[in-house]
Amino acid sequence: MTRIDTLKNGAQEGEERTEKFTTLSDIEVKQFYTPDDIQINYHKDLGFPGEFPFVRGVYHTMYRGRLWTMRMFAGYGTAFDTNKRFKYLLEHGETGLSVAFDFPTLYGYDSDHPLSHGEVGKCGVAISSLEDMEVLFNEIPLEKVSTSMTINGPAAIIWAFYIAAAENQGAARKDLRGTIQNDILKEYIAQNSYIFPPEPSMRLILDTFEFGTEELPRWNTISISGYHIREAGSTAVQELAFTLADGLAYVDAAVERGMVLDAFAPRLSFFFNAHNYFFEEIAKYRAARRIWAKEIKQRGSTNPRSMTLRFHTQTAGVSLTAQQPLNNIVRVALQALAAVLGGTQSLHTNSFDEALALPTEEAVTVALRTQQIIAHETGVTDAIDPLGGSYYVEWLTDKMEEETYKYFDQIEKRGGVIECIKKGFFQNEIAKASYKYQKEVERNIRKIVGVNCYKTDQDNEINVPVLIVDHEVEKVQCERLKKLRKTRDNSKVQRALKELEKQAKTETNVMPYLIDCAKAYATLGEIRETLVNVFGEYQPKDWF
């Protein structure tokens, strides 16, 4: 009898903790894996780091050459408040900025709009004009720092504010580095901070692609995001499949518009979640690189940079618990480790108190130190793709790819990404996965420490300091807006808005006109309404 037979025979009923072991994507996991479980042609299926199909990493030296960017997501209150937080983070070793906007900004409303009441500055920073953007980055030289902005529906407008603020600092467009999320398809699928219908929204995104390629060559004009899909309750497989499907839809639309694939594709970037099932997350990142490389090559790319899937990772906010919040430090550390072992290019680590409120300075410092400890004390950065060649990891990478292509087939049969959005396909798939997971937690099939096991009598008490955003923020912001409207050149504002409306009705790229509106100090809400007059607003159907 072989050693394998002995191990198999040893798995008698009752000897294992559960009848079936599965990942969060419901992929069944065997006892162990052997060479018989994988069929790999090394050069074809894996390759070397920095070489097609980029499974082992997008750069030849990876973290041996340069560590990932430590980019902490931050934003609350007024632009003055968040400017202070940015400076604090930079002083404590952060290497890139990431802006969190409040709900009114995410939906394109000014802080004094009736729908903004009670939400100003609560879950992010309030930005209603170029004046706010100038305050946000006051004394932070934008030609020297990389900035990521999580904004989608009004992304082109916010980017126009940023470009105008940078130019007012004296920075040249060609020197600006950073990313706008700008991924509207996943908004319809998961997060719902959309404004316009899908078709004009796609037009605006392609305008940013085109403008960025010509004017801001170091800027990533989109971060194709699985993060919010996962936070909405999807599985890891759904996150991977739906995100890459969105990305390919953007690519195909840009090529159809007449853009050259290898001109814009090198500046496409991605944004993934890092959840709790450690090895599934690592396999997800590795599979993502291989699928993207193959798909872009099949579309005619000859530039390796177009085929490289570069991505930012954020640890899973949805996995954080209000009960026993210090446990979240451990969750975040393991999720961050998975992202690093999976080859991320930048990383945000959530703070342990984020299930309760926006993070305090102490909590965000611990989160940043978590990355720094992984980078400098663990040794995991010394070898590139150190889990490459593991029978289990390679099998799971292949399985993630296989399941992703099954979803691709379903999407194609339903008419593509936009048709699937309109029919509610993605939304229903996520809802079913989310419901299944929640039932497993409530039935103790999936154990969450401090929630359905290892509980204490004090778990419902808030025993850590939390950040409270004062209601006065809204009053201050509204007063500043009122003053701006009185002191700016309103005739110049109206001319800029009128010209924007005129150009939006044509096929002209509107980015230059958005920048003109920004420099005239037109507000976010005013620009939004101008475009709504042309494009209309999106009204989703009830799919359930």
Side-chain angles (χ1 to χ4, degrees):
M1 182 180 289
T2 67
R3 175 61 174 159
I4 292 177
D5 291 332
T6 302
L7 288 168
K8 286 180 178 177
N9 291 336
Q12 300 299 322
E13 185 177 354
E15 290 188 10
E16 297 192 337
R17 288 180 290 110
T18 184
E19 182 180 338
K20 182 180 178 183
F21 292 82
T22 62
T23 71
L24 293 182
S25 296
D26 207 29
I27 295 171
E28 187 168 358
V29 179
K30 300 196 307 180
Q31 276 189 313
F32 57 90
Y33 290 82
T34 73
D36 293 338
D37 292 299
I38 56 175
Q39 304 295 324
I40 289 180
N41 177 319
Y42 181 83
H43 293 286
K44 176 176 176 289
D45 299 325
L46 296 178
F48 295 113
E51 296 180 8
F52 186 88
F54 305 102
V55 177
R56 309 205 65 187
V58 294
Y59 301 120
H60 289 290
T61 57
M62 287 300 290
Y63 307 136
R64 290 170 66 97
R66 177 186 172 189
L67 295 173
W68 62 91
T69 300
M70 299 179 190
R71 191 188 300 280
M72 302 299 291
F73 196 38
Y76 70 96
T78 67
F80 293 98
D81 298 322
T82 300
N83 176 263
K84 291 177 183 177
R85 176 62 64 90
F86 282 167
K87 290 175 179 175
Y88 174 86
L89 289 168
L90 290 169
E91 288 168 1
H92 284 76
E94 176 168 273
T95 53
L97 298 176
S98 183
V99 186
F101 298 97
D102 69 1
F103 270 128
T105 305
L106 291 175
Y107 284 93
Y109 292 117
D110 289 337
S111 294
D112 58 0
H113 190 282
L115 291 177
S116 300
H117 181 59
E119 292 289 348
V120 176
K122 294 294 185 183
C123 70
V125 63
I127 299 294
S128 296
S129 70
L130 170 59
E131 183 177 70
D132 289 333
M133 191 68 80
E134 290 172 321
V135 171
L136 183 64
F137 293 104
N138 183 44
E139 297 180 344
I140 299 174
L142 294 182
E143 78 278 9
K144 294 182 180 179
V145 69
S146 170
T147 305
S148 174
M149 294 183 285
T150 301
I151 194 78
N152 295 282
I157 306 171
I158 293 295
W159 194 33
F161 286 169
Y162 185 90
I163 293 168
E167 291 184 327
N168 286 350
Q169 284 187 0
R173 292 177 183 176
K174 65 179 179 61
D175 294 328
L176 299 181
R177 295 180 296 116
T179 304
I180 43 171
Q181 193 163 104
N182 202 23
D183 177 7
I184 201 62
L185 293 178
K186 71 91 175 55
E187 293 300 318
Y188 302 116
I189 292 171
Q191 186 168 244
N192 301 322
S193 65
Y194 42 68
I195 301 172
F196 317 111
E199 290 81 3
S201 293
M202 287 289 282
R203 177 261 178 99
L204 288 174
I205 288 170
L206 297 182
D207 283 356
T208 63
F209 282 12
E210 196 171 66
F211 186 81
T213 299
E214 295 172 359
E215 298 283 337
L216 287 84
R218 304 178 72 189
W219 195 275
N220 300 318
T221 48
I222 195 168
S223 178
I224 304 154
S225 304
Y227 185 83
H228 308 87
I229 292 171
R230 192 65 177 280
E231 292 288 287
S234 82
T235 66
V237 165
Q238 289 171 339
E239 177 194 358
L240 177 59
F242 298 169
T243 304
L244 295 185
D246 285 352
L248 294 171
Y250 291 125
V251 167
D252 293 342
V255 170
E256 185 177 345
R257 176 158 158 169
M259 297 179 67
V260 177
L261 176 60
D262 283 335
F264 70 86
R267 300 314 305 177
L268 304 182
S269 63
F270 287 79
F271 176 20
F272 288 114
N273 197 294
H275 213 288
N276 282 337
Y277 203 99
F278 190 75
F279 290 106
E280 184 172 53
E281 296 304 298
I282 296 167
K284 177 184 71 181
Y285 307 131
R286 299 174 86 248
R289 285 193 290 269
R290 183 160 62 204
I291 295 167
W292 186 254
K294 292 195 300 186
E295 290 294 324
I296 295 302
K297 188 173 185 178
Q298 287 173 8
R299 282 162 170 76
S301 172
T302 58
N303 183 355
R305 290 185 63 237
S306 300
M307 304 174 209
T308 57
L309 184 146
R310 297 169 300 111
F311 67 97
H312 171 71
T313 308
Q314 180 172 339
T315 56
V318 74
S319 73
L320 303 180
T321 64
Q323 302 93 328
Q324 302 178 22
L326 292 179
N327 294 348
N328 294 328
I329 297 173
V330 182
R331 291 187 180 101
V332 167
L334 292 171
Q335 292 165 4
L337 180 60
V340 170
L341 291 173
T344 193
Q345 275 59 69
S346 64
L347 179 61
H348 165 87
T349 33
N350 290 329
S351 299
F352 67 82
D353 56 359
E354 286 191 54
L356 302 168
L358 293 176
T360 62
E361 284 191 353
E362 179 186 25
V364 80
T365 302
V366 171
L368 179 58
R369 293 289 182 258
T370 300
Q371 293 197 45
Q372 292 164 338
I373 290 169
I374 291 172
H376 299 294
E377 296 186 22
T378 63
V380 297
T381 59
D382 293 352
I384 302 169
D385 187 33
L387 294 179
S390 155
Y391 302 136
Y392 177 39
V393 170
E394 297 299 353
W395 174 85
L396 193 50
T397 300
D398 290 347
K399 187 65 176 176
M400 297 293 284
E401 181 175 356
E402 176 188 330
E403 296 300 315
T404 294
Y405 273 101
K406 288 179 182 178
Y407 264 121
F408 282 3
D409 290 341
Q410 292 188 60
I411 293 165
E412 185 177 357
K413 288 175 183 176
R414 287 170 170 81
V417 168
I418 290 180
E419 283 303 307
C420 282
I421 288 170
K422 292 178 178 178
K423 294 172 182 175
F425 170 71
F426 298 116
Q427 298 89 325
N428 275 295
E429 288 293 298
I430 294 170
K432 287 186 288 186
S434 180
Y435 180 63
K436 181 178 182 296
Y437 177 80
Q438 186 61 31
K439 284 199 302 182
E440 290 177 348
V441 172
E442 292 176 3
R443 294 173 181 174
N444 274 21
I445 297 170
R446 295 283 179 192
K447 294 191 182 299
I448 309 295
V449 173
V451 175
N452 61 8
C453 63
Y454 307 108
K455 296 186 288 185
T456 71
D457 294 337
Q458 292 78 41
D459 287 346
N460 291 322
E461 299 176 8
I462 298 177
N463 52 14
V464 296
V466 295
L467 175 67
I468 304 295
V469 178
D470 198 310
H471 293 299
E472 192 71 14
V473 164
E474 183 171 336
K475 181 181 176 182
V476 169
Q477 186 70 1
C478 290
E479 287 175 351
R480 294 184 68 245
L481 267 173
K482 184 178 180 180
K483 181 180 178 181
L484 173 67
R485 293 192 183 102
K486 282 185 177 179
T487 57
R488 68 187 182 180
D489 185 341
N490 281 296
S491 61
K492 185 177 180 181
V493 171
Q494 292 306 312
R495 287 195 302 272
L497 291 172
K498 186 175 181 180
E499 187 63 24
L500 171 64
E501 184 171 9
K502 176 184 174 182
Q503 298 302 330
K505 292 176 180 177
T506 72
E507 295 182 357
T508 302
N509 191 311
V510 298
M511 275 307 304
Y513 304 96
L514 290 173
I515 294 171
D516 288 345
C517 289
K519 289 183 174 180
Y521 289 91
T523 68
L524 173 63
E526 290 166 344
I527 299 172
R528 177 195 196 276
E529 288 308 305
T530 299
L531 293 177
V532 165
N533 290 339
V534 179
F535 300 144
E537 290 189 77
Y538 181 61
Q539 299 296 329
K541 296 178 181 178
D542 183 2
W543 300 286
F544 302 103

